[in-house]
Amino acid sequence: MEVYNHDLVILGTGLAGLRAALEAAQQSKGELDIALVSKLQLMRAHSVAAEGGTAAVMRQDEGDSYELHAWDTVKGSDFLADQNVVDFFVHEMPGEILHLDHWGIPWSRMEDGRIAQRPFGGHTFPRAVFAADKTGFLEMQTLYDTLMKHTKNINRYDEGFVTSILIENNRFAGLTMIDMIHGRQVLIRGKALIIATGGAGQIFGFTTYSETVTGDGLAMSYRAGLPLKDMEFIQFHPTGLIPSGILMTEACRGEGGTLLNSNGERFMGNYAPSKMELAPRDMVSRSEMTEIEAGRGFPGPEGLDYIHLDLRHLGRERILERLPLIREVTIKHIGLDPIEKPIPIRPVAHYTMGGVHTDIKGHTSIENVWAAGEVACVSLHGANRLGANSTAECLVWGRVVGEEAARYCANASAAEMPKTAGQEWAKIEALIQSKGTEDHYQIRKELRKNLDASMGVFRTGEQMQAGLDKIRELKERYKYISLKDKSLRYNTDLERAIETGFMIDVAEVAILGALTRTESRGGHARRDYKVRDDDNWLKHTMAHFTSGGPRLDYSPVDISMWKPVERKY
C-alpha cells in the first residue's frame, strides 16, 4: 500500500470541489498542499452537464431583491429549507457571479453589455445567469483554468477510485483508493477532508445523471458515521428526453418553451395558472404525470409514455443563440430538430435534495471534515430545489468550505496513521477472490428498476414497502457476488461492483425515510397522505448507519423568517 500525505484532501472535482480548491489555494497564498481526488479525469465531473443557469440577485434596480430570492427558495422548498441558510446563500451568491466574470467566463450578455438573466421555475424574477445552455461546463472550465495558476501545490489523483473514508477518534484519518491507472492500493492522508462527490441519481433507471453518479461519497460518509439528512426528497425534472433521460434544460421553458399534451393543449394552466411552465419542478412533474396517467400522453418505449416540449415558436435564431446544446443533443440522439418538431419528454430523476448533514458553514459532525455541493445537505433546498440554485450552491459552499478547511489546516496536524486501512483492503481482496454466484450487474439493474417503480413522482406506502423489501433482498444477494476480473489496473468490474454496494445503501436510506414520512411535501408526493403535515413533519430526517440498516431520528427546521403557509402558484 502506497501512502501519500497532504494538508487538504478534496474528494470530488465538480463545481464544489474546484471552487473549494481555488479558495483554499488563494487563502493560503498557494502554500497549502492540496490533493484533488476523482474517479474521473478532472473535467469529466457531472457538473459539466448543468445547462440552464445559476441564480443570483443582480438587478435590484429593476425589482429583484435578496428577500425575494430568499422567499422564492423557502416557498419552493415547501418550507423545509433552513431559512438562516437561505438568507446567507442569497447574500453570498452575487459575488460568485462577479468572481467568475472576472476570471473570464463567457456569460451571455444583453445588448448593453450587462450579464444576461433568464426566467427559471419558481423564481418571481428572471435571475438565472447563464452562458447559452452550457453554463455548468463553462463554469467548470473557468474554475479549472483559474486553478491552474496555483499548480505548484495542487496534486491531482485522476481516475482514483476511493473505496472508504476512514474516521478514527472523531477525525478524518485517510482515504483508501484504488489507483486505476497503475493498479495500486493507495492511502491518502491529510489534515482535513472536503467531500464534494455529488449526488446519487444512478439509483434510478430513468435519470439525467452520468453513469458515474452512484452516490459513492454519500455511502462512504454514511458508513463512516456521518448522518445523511432528508434523503427521501428526490427531485424529478419535468423534461427528460425520451428514451435516454438526457436533461432538456429548464432554460427551454425559461426561454418560452411550452408543454403540450396529446390533444395539443397547453395544460399547465390547469395546475399553476400564474406560473404555467415556470412553476416549481415538483409541481410541473406531477402535472405531467397526471396528464399521462389520464391518457393525454403519447405512447412511448418500455412504458415511458410522454408529452411534448415545444420550442418551435421561439424561432430558429433564438434556439441557435440560447439553446444550441439542446438542438445538438436532440438531433444526435433521436434525429429530431426542435426548430421543426416538438421534443418528447417526461419527468426524470434529477437531483438529491438530501445529503451529508452539515451546519451553515458546511462543517460535518467530524472535527476536520466538511462537505459541499449536492453530496451535502446544508438544508438550502428543503423538499424541492428551485432550478438554478444548485450550481449556485456549489459555488457558495465550495468557497465557504475551502476557506474554512484552509484556515483549519494552517493550525492543525494530520491524524495518526489509521489502524483500519488494512481492514478496508482486506474487504477489497475478499471481493476480488469471491466465488459467489450472484451477478452484481443484474443486482444493479433490478435496484434501478425497483426505484423507478417505488420512488417515482407519486408514491404510496404499499409501493415503498415493496421497494424496501426488494432493496433488502438485493442487499442480501449482494453478499454473494463475484468478479470476473481479478486485477486492479482499470478493473471496471471491481469498480462497478463496489458502486452497486454504495447504491444499495443510499437507496435503502432514501426509501426508508420516504416510507416513514407520512405526508406530502415538495418532491415527496404520497397518494395515501396527500397533504403537508406541519404539526408532525416540519422536521429534517436524519439517517444513521447501523449494521442492521438505517436508524432514523429528526432535527428541527429553522423558520426564523417566514412561518409556513399554503403553497400556491
Side-chain angles (χ1 to χ4, degrees):
M1 178 175 62
E2 298 190 18
V3 180
Y4 297 100
N5 296 289
H6 301 280
D7 293 325
L8 174 60
V9 179
I10 300 177
L11 177 56
T13 56
L15 272 177
L18 292 186
R19 185 67 184 91
L22 180 55
E23 188 65 22
Q26 291 180 331
Q27 284 287 327
S28 66
K29 297 181 169 53
E31 294 304 311
L32 200 66
D33 181 350
I34 300 172
L36 284 174
V37 185
S38 174
K39 69 176 178 180
L40 304 165
Q41 295 174 353
L42 190 144
M43 278 298 292
R44 289 188 175 274
H46 187 69
S47 294
V48 300
E51 297 169 355
T54 298
V57 175
M58 308 293 289
R59 298 271 192 278
Q60 294 192 67
D61 58 329
E62 296 178 13
D64 201 7
S65 69
Y66 296 126
E67 185 178 37
L68 192 58
H69 189 187
W71 168 248
D72 290 343
T73 300
V74 169
K75 183 180 178 184
S77 79
D78 219 349
F79 295 91
L80 199 70
D82 283 342
Q83 295 176 20
N84 59 333
V85 169
V86 174
D87 185 59
F88 174 78
F89 163 73
V90 300
H91 283 86
E92 294 293 312
M93 191 52 226
E96 291 302 311
I97 297 296
L98 296 179
H99 280 313
L100 285 165
D101 193 41
H102 296 159
W103 292 329
I105 191 171
W107 292 127
S108 294
R109 301 274 174 176
M110 300 169 67
E111 288 186 5
D112 62 6
R114 290 182 298 165
I115 296 171
Q117 293 179 280
R118 60 167 48 123
F120 248 62
H123 293 272
T124 53
F125 190 90
R127 64 172 67 93
V129 176
F130 62 97
D133 56 354
K134 302 177 182 179
T135 306
F137 172 78
L138 291 167
E139 288 174 342
M140 281 277 290
Q141 190 68 63
T142 302
L143 290 174
Y144 174 62
D145 286 350
T146 308
L147 186 61
M148 288 302 96
K149 297 175 183 178
H150 302 277
T151 53
K152 182 178 74 167
N153 284 320
I154 301 291
N155 304 274
R156 284 172 53 182
Y157 295 89
D158 289 2
E159 297 183 292
F161 182 61
V162 175
T163 61
S164 69
I165 297 170
L166 303 179
I167 305 292
E168 296 185 6
N169 300 316
N170 201 44
R171 295 190 70 199
F172 164 66
L175 303 175
T176 56
M177 184 188 86
I178 301 170
D179 176 353
M180 299 291 280
I181 299 172
H182 303 100
R184 296 183 297 213
Q185 297 179 357
V186 174
L187 175 66
I188 299 178
R189 302 178 66 225
K191 299 175 182 177
L193 171 68
I194 293 173
I195 306 167
T197 51
Q202 276 290 313
I203 63 175
F204 289 86
F206 189 63
T207 178
T208 62
Y209 277 90
S210 308
E211 288 287 332
T212 54
V213 185
T214 49
D216 305 9
L218 289 162
M220 289 187 290
S221 300
Y222 172 61
R223 293 175 182 181
L226 295 168
L228 300 184
K229 183 197 296 180
D230 290 341
M231 288 297 295
E232 62 265 40
F233 295 105
I234 305 292
Q235 180 165 87
F236 285 81
H237 196 288
T239 51
L241 183 66
I242 297 295
S244 63
I246 293 172
L247 176 66
M248 298 288 100
T249 172
E250 193 154 311
C252 293
R253 288 170 285 130
E255 293 294 339
T258 56
L259 299 172
L260 304 176
N261 62 23
S262 59
N263 297 330
E265 299 163 337
R266 190 179 172 190
F267 57 84
M268 281 306 300
N270 299 324
Y271 302 97
S274 70
K275 287 290 188 183
M276 299 295 287
E277 285 84 0
L278 290 177
R281 289 175 178 174
D282 61 327
M283 290 187 168
V284 181
S285 292
R286 288 195 294 273
S287 302
E288 291 178 352
M289 289 307 302
T290 300
E291 291 293 305
I292 289 170
E293 291 176 355
R296 294 186 290 271
F298 299 89
E302 299 182 21
L304 294 175
D305 291 356
Y306 61 88
I307 58 168
H308 277 153
L309 170 63
D310 192 2
L311 308 180
R312 292 173 294 178
H313 55 284
L314 302 182
R316 180 183 183 86
E317 184 177 334
R318 190 170 186 84
I319 290 173
L320 292 179
E321 177 193 352
R322 296 293 182 92
L323 301 167
L325 179 62
I326 291 302
R327 182 170 185 255
E328 178 185 347
V329 166
T330 56
I331 289 173
K332 285 185 175 180
H333 284 266
I334 61 172
L336 181 149
D337 188 341
I339 294 172
E340 300 171 355
K341 295 181 179 179
I343 303 169
I345 56 90
R346 68 177 276 137
V348 58
H350 178 65
Y351 189 83
T352 313
M353 263 84 74
V356 176
H357 167 58
T358 76
D359 67 13
I360 197 169
K361 291 297 184 73
H363 196 196
T364 73
S365 55
I366 302 300
E367 175 191 330
N368 56 346
V369 179
W370 287 259
E374 191 175 352
V375 72
C377 186
V378 67
S379 302
L380 172 66
H381 308 302
N384 174 67
R385 174 177 69 80
L386 291 192
N389 271 356
S390 60
T391 50
E393 177 193 23
C394 289
L395 294 168
V396 167
W397 274 280
R399 178 189 63 76
V400 169
V401 301
E403 179 182 358
E404 293 283 314
R407 187 182 299 120
Y408 177 91
C409 288
N411 300 297
S413 58
E416 295 181 4
M417 180 69 76
K419 299 180 177 65
T420 51
Q423 298 171 22
E424 293 300 326
W425 288 122
K427 293 176 186 175
I428 302 298
E429 294 290 348
L431 176 57
I432 291 172
Q433 300 305 322
S434 171
K435 294 180 169 51
T437 57
E438 290 285 351
D439 180 350
H440 62 85
Y441 295 102
Q442 179 62 30
I443 289 174
R444 181 185 293 213
K445 181 179 179 181
E446 291 181 33
L447 175 71
R448 300 176 76 210
K449 183 178 180 181
N450 176 48
L451 266 290
D452 283 347
S454 59
M455 281 279 283
V457 172
F458 290 109
R459 307 162 177 182
T460 68
E462 184 179 3
Q463 286 174 321
M464 290 186 288
Q465 184 61 60
L468 181 59
D469 292 344
K470 179 66 176 179
I471 287 169
R472 288 176 171 166
E473 173 206 316
L474 296 175
K475 191 175 183 180
E476 186 63 25
R477 285 167 54 190
Y478 180 80
K479 297 175 182 178
Y480 303 99
I481 64 171
S482 61
L483 306 179
K484 294 182 173 63
D485 188 345
K486 306 295 184 181
S487 66
L488 276 182
R489 188 177 185 187
Y490 280 117
N491 187 343
T492 54
D493 192 26
L494 173 61
E495 185 174 15
R496 297 294 176 270
I498 296 171
E499 285 176 344
T500 298
F502 291 154
M503 292 164 68
I504 290 170
D505 278 0
V506 172
E508 184 180 24
V509 170
I511 201 164
L512 180 62
L515 180 62
T516 307
R517 183 176 285 270
T518 52
E519 67 161 353
S520 287
R521 186 186 296 268
H524 176 60
R526 290 189 63 154
R527 285 193 157 126
D528 46 356
Y529 293 93
K530 294 184 178 181
V531 297
R532 194 180 77 199
D533 181 0
D534 290 331
D535 289 340
N536 294 302
W537 289 106
L538 186 62
K539 56 188 179 183
H540 298 297
T541 303
M542 305 284 280
H544 305 264
F545 178 84
T546 77
S547 58
R551 175 179 62 81
L552 302 184
D553 62 20
Y554 298 89
S555 64
V557 178
D558 181 276
I559 51 171
S560 52
M561 293 189 290
W562 296 290
K563 300 299 182 185
V565 296
E566 186 179 358
R567 187 166 168 251
K568 291 182 178 180
Y569 290 90

